Each structure stands twice: as structure tokens, then as C-alpha cells.
Amino acid sequence: MHIRRSDEEIAANRARYEEHQKKGLEFAPKALPGKSAKPAPAIDAKKIMHQEKLPGGWYWWTRVKLNETLRIALDDGFSTVSVVAWNAEDPSERMNLPDTVKVQWTTGLGKGRVIFSDMGKVMFSITEDSSGAHDVLMGGSTASSNAKKYAGQNGPALRNTRDNFVLIATKAGLDKRDIPAALALFAPVRVDADGRFEWKPDLVSEGDYVDLRAEMDMIVGFSNCPHPLDPNPVYAPNPVSILRIAALEPAADDLCQTATAEAIRGFENNAFAAL
Amino acid sequence: MTSFIQTSPTRTLSNTAQDHYIAAEAPFSTFIKKGQVVRIEDSYGQQAVDTLFYNAHDFSERYSSQDTMREQGAAYISTGTKVISNEGRVMLTVTADSCGRHDTSAGACSCESNTVRFGHYTKYLHACRDNFVIEVSKHGMSKRDVVPNINFFMNVPIEPSGEMTIVDGISAPGDYVELKAEMDVLLVISNCPQINNPCNGFDPTPIRVLVWDDEAA
């Protein structure tokens, strides 16, 4: 038996949501800038704490501190880099892409957007991004997706993102239960009117880069394997350059921290948790 | 609420293996055996049903939204969709769907994400992630095990621009989705309590879960 809420209550909630939806869908696209310019701005060498050249097929993980920035760059040609992240203090808090896209009203991440944890806090700010072509829906490759795609090239033995993340999680003292849905950087995936995925290769090219500023202390994992939709029939990921850049305190009018009502409330959650 | 819609001569209300009524906003779980068919019925219409699946014999194998979307090359769930695990195996197959629109990219509401989405004043409201944690804890799991889920009967269109928003569900009273289990699974449901967006028509309602044994058995 169900006792229906009153029509007045339903109508009031609907009106409130419609107003909220209008603001969410209209405000951010106007407030956010376009893609970052290429080439990437130079980084003062003294600020570079670490430089990694992640070979095709391989994984790397690192710890980052609040306000440090990770620059992921396609300096050696096209590749796709899948990313996962955990709160270093409490790894049960991790990157949550469904929340990230839902609260920001878009599956399209780019400069000015932020990436949320499952606890309503901001993990990363996307402070620079030259391509705006990333995939939050499909994640990375698996042994079976490689086997299917690279049949005849010993596909099952080729390195894949799922196994890379199992290795990262394990080496960080976690296990496969802890692997969240992965963000695939430089994966130009779009959804057509029927819900089918499309690959738009023109959106990404050599020299593209993303700067992710850490908004809490984290463990961050990377996997450099071809995306399952990458149409190249040959398994040929290029090396990817990853810089760990020293912390810089964001300005009071920092774009990512102020661009949307959702980001502002997310950072309020970060501030409260840090007290 | 409408009367039962029969989809097969062998599936009637009198020969169910399980028949559950799930109150509005409540959590629920049950085991489904390989070969059994589970029906999730949106008894009153426009009710999002947040759903997770775990391998009944190894909970570290569980539903994977990303593998499921990748495997079918599309963002929505409907008849023919193979529900894929984090180990790349088929857990269940969607065999019938009278609604035609189910989401697996928007995840489950939580107290924490509600504060970000709607405002801090919405923190103290029932939420699906809490329901999931309560329910999986009965099986020895914790928040770590709550992963991105399927939202049956939830309408989240994704535009070619990437823009997405939750709009009114299109399910009518009595609409159902049926899945055939390809392995023994634990089914976990949060009958979504969200009242800040139209996923429940702003009025969360009860649902029904029915299970039948393998027709061939």
C-alpha cells in the first residue's frame, strides 16, 4: 500500500528542481573557459618534483599532496591514460565518476571542472586541459577486450588497464575490491543520439596535456594502454610524460574552486573535513 | 498499481520461487540462482530502482558499469544487454524490458553527493548509497564494495555534447525488466528515496521483485 505525497508537495519539489536544473545546465558552460592553449606552459624546473616517462602498456602510481599538480602530456604521440585515485588517509574514499558527471551535469570533463570522491569532496581540479576529450563511461581495456580487439596479435598477453590497476591497488596495500571506475584521459569518446559510443580522433593530437591539481593527499594510479574504442588495429601505445609539480596555493578567485555552485559546495565539504 | 503482466506461460504469480514487496525508500537483497529469471517490477511507475549484483560465491566479483557499457557499445541498458562483472564475465542477461530506458552512468544518490548537487540542507535525507551499505553489510561487505550501479527505470539522457541531466522516468505502473542469471548472484537493491529530482516523480513508491526457476529445469 502506498500513500501518495500531496500534489502540492510534488509540484513544489518539481518547480524547485526545474529551477535548479536550469541553473546547472546554463551557468557552468558560460562560466567555463575553452580548451587550454598548446603548447603547454613551461614549468619552472625547480618546481618539478618528479618526471616519469610511462611506457606504452605500463602503469605507474604515486602519492600526491594537497595543491601539487600532475601534468599528463602526450609529448611522444597519441596515447590514452586511465586514472584512478584514493584518499591517502582513508582509501575507502575514492574517485567517483558517476557523482562527478551527475553533479556537474555533464560527461564532458575539461578545464574548469573538478573530479569528486564518493564522499562529496573534490579530489582533483582540472586546471589546464588542451583537448577536452576524455572518457568517463567506458574506462580502460581488459584482458578480454584486448583478446577480442587484437586477435592474431597474441591479444590476451598484451598489457591491459584492468590488470594494471589490480597491480597498482595491490602494491598500494589495497585490493581489486578497491578499484573504482576509471577516467580515461585523451579518449575522445562521445555518445550519439541513440546512446551508442563514438570515437572522435580529431579531438586529440600529439602535445595535448591535462593538469590535475590535487585537492587532498592521494594515491593516484595511471595505466597507459590503448582505449577499447581506439580504432588502431595495432597495439601501439606511445610513452606518456607525467610531471609531479610542487604545491602552489590556489588564488582566492581560482577558476575550478569558484566556477560552479557544485564545485563551491564540494570545496566546502573539503574544508570541513580538513578542520 | 496495475495487475501482473505475464511474459511467459510458465511464469505466473502462483509458481514464483520468490515474491518480494519492497517498500518505498527501502533496501533489499536476495540470492538468484544460475538459470533463474528475476523480474523487477515498477509497480506504481516512475520509480528509480538502484541495483547491484555480486557473484554469490565471491563478492570480489561484482557488477561493472564500465565493462557493461563497453561490452555493448552503448550507454543505456535494455533487452539483450549483458550485465558484465569486473572480471569480464556475463552475470545476467536482460531478457525482457517493457520500459526501454535504464541508466548506468549516473550512479546512486548519497547524503554526501546530495550536499554538492542540491545544497548542504539535503544532507539528512535517506539516500541510496546508505541503503547499499546497510544491505551489503548483512553479507560481510562494506562501503568499499559499493560500486557504480544500474538505475532501472531512471532516465538520464546523455547528449552528443556530453551534457546529461536526470529527467522524468518513462516507466508506467506495472512496467518491468527481466534478467536471466548466468551465474549465482546476490542481488542488492536500493528502492531509491531521492525526492530532489524527477527520478521518482518526486514520490518514491514500492516495487516488487519476483523470481522464477529455470523454465527448462
Side-chain angles (χ1 to χ4, degrees):
Chain A
M1 186 51 202
H2 174 66
I3 300 164
R4 190 174 157 81
R5 281 162 206 257
S6 74
D7 288 346
E8 293 73 25
E9 192 181 358
I10 290 172
N13 279 336
R14 178 178 294 284
R16 186 164 49 85
Y17 177 71
E18 284 173 355
E19 176 65 21
H20 170 71
Q21 181 187 39
K22 192 164 176 284
K23 279 190 211 152
L25 288 171
E26 288 181 0
F27 179 70
K30 286 180 194 152
L32 293 181
K35 298 169 187 176
S36 300
K38 284 163 78 170
I43 307 290
D44 178 355
K46 291 194 292 287
K47 289 277 183 195
I48 297 173
M49 304 167 70
H50 180 79
Q51 182 154 14
E52 191 73 24
K53 192 67 92 171
L54 178 54
W58 280 87
Y59 63 94
W60 182 65
W61 67 285
T62 186
R63 289 176 182 269
V64 287
K65 299 274 190 196
L66 174 69
N67 289 334
E68 290 174 3
T69 291
L70 292 164
R71 169 170 295 177
I72 303 100
L74 301 184
D75 293 341
D76 299 273
F78 176 72
S79 219
T80 291
V81 186
S82 297
V83 184
V84 288
W86 296 271
N87 178 340
E89 263 180 48
D90 172 9
S92 78
E93 177 175 9
R94 68 275 310 259
M95 178 189 279
N96 189 299
L97 293 180
D99 283 358
T100 296
V101 301
K102 180 170 53 183
V103 307
Q104 295 182 103
W105 310 89
T106 180
T107 58
L109 296 182
K111 180 172 179 173
R113 293 287 182 190
V114 297
I115 297 169
F116 283 90
S117 77
D118 64 315
M119 297 300 283
K121 285 154 48 187
V122 181
M123 298 191 103
F124 291 110
S125 289
I126 305 174
T127 53
E128 298 291 345
D129 176 22
S130 65
S131 73
H134 313 296
D135 168 38
V136 298
L137 297 173
M138 296 173 73
S141 60
T142 64
S144 66
S145 76
N146 275 355
K148 206 178 287 180
K149 194 165 157 207
Y150 304 105
Q153 297 171 56
N154 201 18
L158 297 170
R159 302 194 64 90
N160 70 80
T161 285
R162 153 79 180 168
D163 288 348
N164 281 343
F165 285 154
V166 170
L167 292 163
I168 290 169
T170 304
K171 291 182 180 182
L174 305 168
D175 75 24
K176 67 177 186 173
R177 290 165 59 206
D178 295 297
I179 301 170
L183 168 65
L185 297 173
F186 314 115
V189 176
R190 292 288 184 266
V191 176
D192 73 12
D194 299 323
R196 308 288 305 174
F197 294 121
E198 296 179 298
W199 182 265
K200 305 275 194 185
D202 294 348
L203 298 177
V204 184
S205 58
E206 181 164 349
D208 271 320
Y209 63 98
V210 176
D211 283 1
L212 300 176
R213 184 178 64 215
E215 301 294 353
M216 61 174 73
D217 295 357
M218 285 183 289
I219 301 165
V220 186
F222 298 94
S223 167
N224 179 10
C225 293
H227 189 275
L229 276 195
D230 183 339
N232 187 349
V234 180
Y235 183 97
N238 288 303
V240 167
S241 149
I242 306 177
L243 298 183
R244 183 177 170 195
I245 303 163
L248 193 66
E249 188 79 23
D253 63 347
D254 181 79
L255 170 71
C256 292
Q257 298 195 357
T258 57
T260 67
E262 291 81 14
I264 289 168
R265 289 193 290 266
F267 279 102
E268 286 166 356
N269 288 342
N270 284 45
F272 178 69
L275 289 177
Chain B
M1 190 171 172
T2 56
S3 55
F4 174 78
I5 300 165
Q6 195 170 341
T7 54
S8 153
T10 57
R11 285 180 218 136
T12 66
L13 273 183
S14 57
N15 73 345
T16 56
Q18 300 182 41
D19 185 350
H20 306 276
Y21 168 93
I22 301 159
E25 312 190 346
F28 169 79
S29 64
T30 191
F31 287 96
I32 317 285
K33 292 196 200 90
K34 180 179 177 179
Q36 286 185 321
V37 170
V38 57
R39 175 194 297 209
I40 300 170
E41 181 189 279
D42 185 0
S43 310
Y44 291 78
Q46 283 200 333
Q47 171 64 24
V49 182
D50 290 40
T51 305
L52 283 171
F53 298 100
Y54 300 83
N55 176 337
H57 307 290
D58 174 5
F59 295 149
S60 76
E61 179 172 16
R62 68 276 304 266
Y63 175 66
S64 168
S65 58
Q66 292 195 324
D67 287 278
T68 299
M69 284 190 270
R70 186 198 67 236
E71 197 62 23
Q72 61 171 343
Y76 312 119
I77 308 281
S78 190
T79 306
T81 299
K82 289 177 170 31
V83 172
I84 308 288
S85 77
N86 60 339
E87 300 293 350
R89 300 201 299 158
V90 182
M91 305 185 84
L92 306 98
T93 304
V94 180
T95 51
D97 171 20
S98 70
C99 170
R101 179 49 71 90
H102 313 276
D103 161 76
T104 193
S105 46
C109 62
S110 72
C111 296
E112 293 77 15
S113 68
N114 283 346
T115 69
V116 176
R117 243 181 119 204
F118 303 113
H120 295 292
Y121 72 96
T122 59
K123 183 161 70 170
Y124 297 112
L125 289 174
H126 287 304
C128 283
R129 201 105 25 103
D130 284 7
N131 272 346
F132 277 144
V133 171
I134 295 288
E135 203 58 37
V136 300
S137 74
K138 296 171 185 170
H139 303 279
M141 293 185 274
S142 72
K143 180 173 92 71
R144 287 169 67 194
D145 299 284
V146 175
V147 293
N149 58 292
I150 298 180
N151 295 304
F152 287 116
F153 310 111
M154 190 159 104
N155 194 0
V156 188
I158 302 171
E159 303 297 327
S161 66
E163 195 173 277
M164 71 186 285
T165 178
I166 296 171
V167 297
D168 285 38
I170 59 172
S171 53
D175 267 342
Y176 57 84
V177 58
E178 287 182 349
L179 302 101
K180 182 172 187 179
E182 310 286 357
M183 62 168 72
D184 294 351
V185 296
L186 171 66
L187 161 75
V188 180
I189 280 175
S190 166
N191 192 19
C192 185
Q194 183 60 261
I195 51 161
N196 292 295
N197 73 43
C199 69
N200 304 325
F202 302 98
D203 180 36
T205 48
I207 60 164
R208 190 174 190 179
V209 169
L210 300 134
V211 180
W212 287 277
D213 287 330
D214 190 348
E215 288 179 30

